[in-house]
Amino acid sequence: MNSFEADPTEPGAVAEPERLLQPVPEGRRITVMLAAFEGWNDAGEAASDALRYLNKLWGGKKVAAIDADEYYDFQFTRPTIRRTAAGERKIKWPSTRIFKASVPDSNVDVIFVQGTEPSYKWRAYTAELLVHAEALHVDYVILVGALLADVPHSRPIPVSTSTDDAALRERMDLEASQYEGPVGIVGVLGEVALLAGLPTVSLWAAVPHYVAQAPSPKAQLALLHRIEELLQVPLDTTELVEEADAWERGVDELATEDPEIAAYVRQLEEAKDTADLPEASGESIAREFERYLKRRGKDKP
C-alpha cells in the first residue's frame, strides 16, 4: 500500500510515509531492539544470520542472557560440544543472549536478541525479554523472521513489513499481517511488546522453499537492506553481496542439472514477473511524478 496524497501545507508536494524512528531532542539516544530466533521462525537461518552480521559489524557486547534450563527441552534442542581456542572440549547450551551496540555516526543504540525458539513457558519467556527491554530503555522493537515460500531464487527476495499497531500503520503507511494459523515465538513477542506500549514492526523474508537449507545469503541481504531503511543508517554489505551472488549462481547450476527443477523455477519466475507488473508500473509512475514535481519546484524562480 502506498500513499501519494498531497500535503496541504505544501502545494504540489507528494506526501511520503514517515520513518519508524522519530526525531528526539539533541543529545538523546534512540534504542531499538532487534530480535530473531533460530528454529521455526528462521528459514535458511536468514533472520538469525542477519542479526549476527549486524552484531559483528557494530561490535555488540553481551549485556544479558536468559537461563536455558527454564525454557528449553534439551532432547529437542540439544546442547553441542565444541572445542575452544585452547583445544579443550566444551558444551555449548541453547540459550538466548542479549547484546548491545551503538551504530557508528548516529544516535541509535541497538539491542540484539539472539537465541533458539524456546520449548516451554513462552509467556514467561517473552515477559522476561520485556523486563530486559525496559531496563535497557528500548524505544522500538523490530522482529525479524524468514519463511519458506513459492518464490524464485533468481528474483529479488520479498521482505514483508507489517505491524499490528494501528497508529504505526497509519504513520508509516504499512499493513497489518493477514496471516492466520500457528505462530512462533516471533508472533508472541510481537503481541506482548505491543501490549507493553512498544512500537513494533515485523520483517519476514520469503526464502525459496526448494533451497531451504542454510545459509541463505540472498534472503539475509534482503532483510539487512530493510533494516537499513528502517534505522536510516548505512550498512557495509559488500562481502554479503558477493556471497549472495555466488549462492544464486550455485542454485542456477543445480537447477540446470534437473529439468524438472528448471521448469519449476521458470514457472515461479513467470508468476512473479506477472504479479509484479501492475505494482511496479504504478510505483515507477508515482516516483517519476514525484521527481517531476521536485524538479518543477526547483526550476521556479
Side-chain angles (χ1 to χ4, degrees):
M1 178 173 66
N2 291 285
S3 173
F4 296 98
E5 298 177 2
D7 184 346
T9 64
E10 188 177 348
V14 177
E16 294 182 356
E18 293 185 27
R19 298 175 180 177
L20 172 64
L21 308 187
Q22 294 294 283
V24 295
E26 186 74 24
R28 186 184 182 281
R29 298 190 67 80
I30 302 171
T31 303
V32 180
M33 174 179 279
L34 277 168
F37 302 87
E38 297 175 19
W40 196 70
N41 310 270
D42 194 20
E45 297 183 7
S48 53
D49 281 347
L51 263 60
R52 278 192 284 267
Y53 186 94
L54 289 177
N55 195 19
K56 182 179 178 181
L57 180 67
W58 291 332
K61 305 296 182 184
K62 184 179 173 182
V63 293
I66 293 182
D67 184 13
D69 287 346
E70 289 291 320
Y71 302 110
Y72 292 97
D73 177 351
F74 297 130
Q75 288 186 323
F76 179 74
T77 308
R78 290 185 178 272
T80 56
I81 292 182
R82 297 185 180 179
R83 291 195 179 274
T84 65
E88 298 176 351
R89 283 156 55 88
K90 186 176 182 179
I91 293 179
K92 181 181 179 182
W93 294 90
S95 66
T96 300
R97 296 179 296 169
I98 301 173
F99 300 83
K100 182 175 182 179
S102 294
V103 180
D105 303 318
S106 79
N107 65 339
V108 177
D109 293 328
V110 176
I111 305 301
F112 293 103
V113 177
Q114 297 175 257
T116 304
E117 183 177 63
S119 308
Y120 308 119
K121 303 179 182 177
W122 282 18
R123 284 176 287 192
Y125 176 85
T126 51
E128 189 169 342
L129 280 177
L130 287 184
V131 169
H132 288 293
E134 183 178 8
L136 293 165
H137 309 292
V138 168
D139 300 300
Y140 302 87
V141 176
I142 300 176
L143 303 171
V144 187
L147 50 84
L148 298 178
D150 293 327
V151 295
H153 71 280
S154 52
R155 298 293 185 268
I157 295 292
V159 175
S160 65
T161 307
S162 63
T163 179
D164 289 325
D165 185 323
L168 201 58
R169 279 202 306 273
E170 182 176 357
R171 179 163 69 78
M172 294 184 64
D173 198 13
L174 296 176
E175 295 183 353
S177 173
Q178 300 303 309
Y179 172 76
E180 293 185 62
V183 298
I185 195 65
V186 168
V188 176
L189 180 56
E191 180 176 282
V192 174
L194 280 174
L195 290 174
L198 288 171
T200 303
V201 297
S202 298
L203 310 181
W204 287 90
V207 176
H209 69 88
Y210 55 91
V211 279
Q213 66 273 20
S216 187
K218 192 170 180 179
Q220 180 186 345
L221 185 62
L223 285 169
L224 288 173
H225 285 326
R226 188 65 183 115
I227 293 170
E228 182 178 35
E229 293 172 359
L230 289 175
L231 299 186
Q232 290 292 306
V233 296
L235 296 180
D236 181 2
T237 56
T238 304
E239 180 180 340
L240 192 56
V241 168
E242 295 174 355
E243 292 180 17
D245 289 342
W247 175 86
E248 186 170 337
R249 289 194 300 271
V251 179
D252 285 340
E253 293 174 3
L254 291 174
T256 57
E257 295 173 0
D258 188 325
E260 290 187 6
I261 292 294
Y264 179 64
V265 171
R266 284 195 298 272
Q267 178 184 340
L268 291 177
E269 289 172 340
E270 291 171 1
K272 175 66 175 172
D273 294 344
T274 301
D276 282 352
L277 275 175
E279 180 180 354
S281 176
E283 288 182 352
S284 61
I285 291 171
R287 282 196 297 267
E288 287 302 318
F289 180 62
E290 182 179 1
R291 293 191 190 101
Y292 164 74
L293 290 174
K294 289 180 178 178
R295 287 197 302 269
R296 190 181 66 172
K298 290 179 181 179
D299 292 340
K300 286 182 179 179

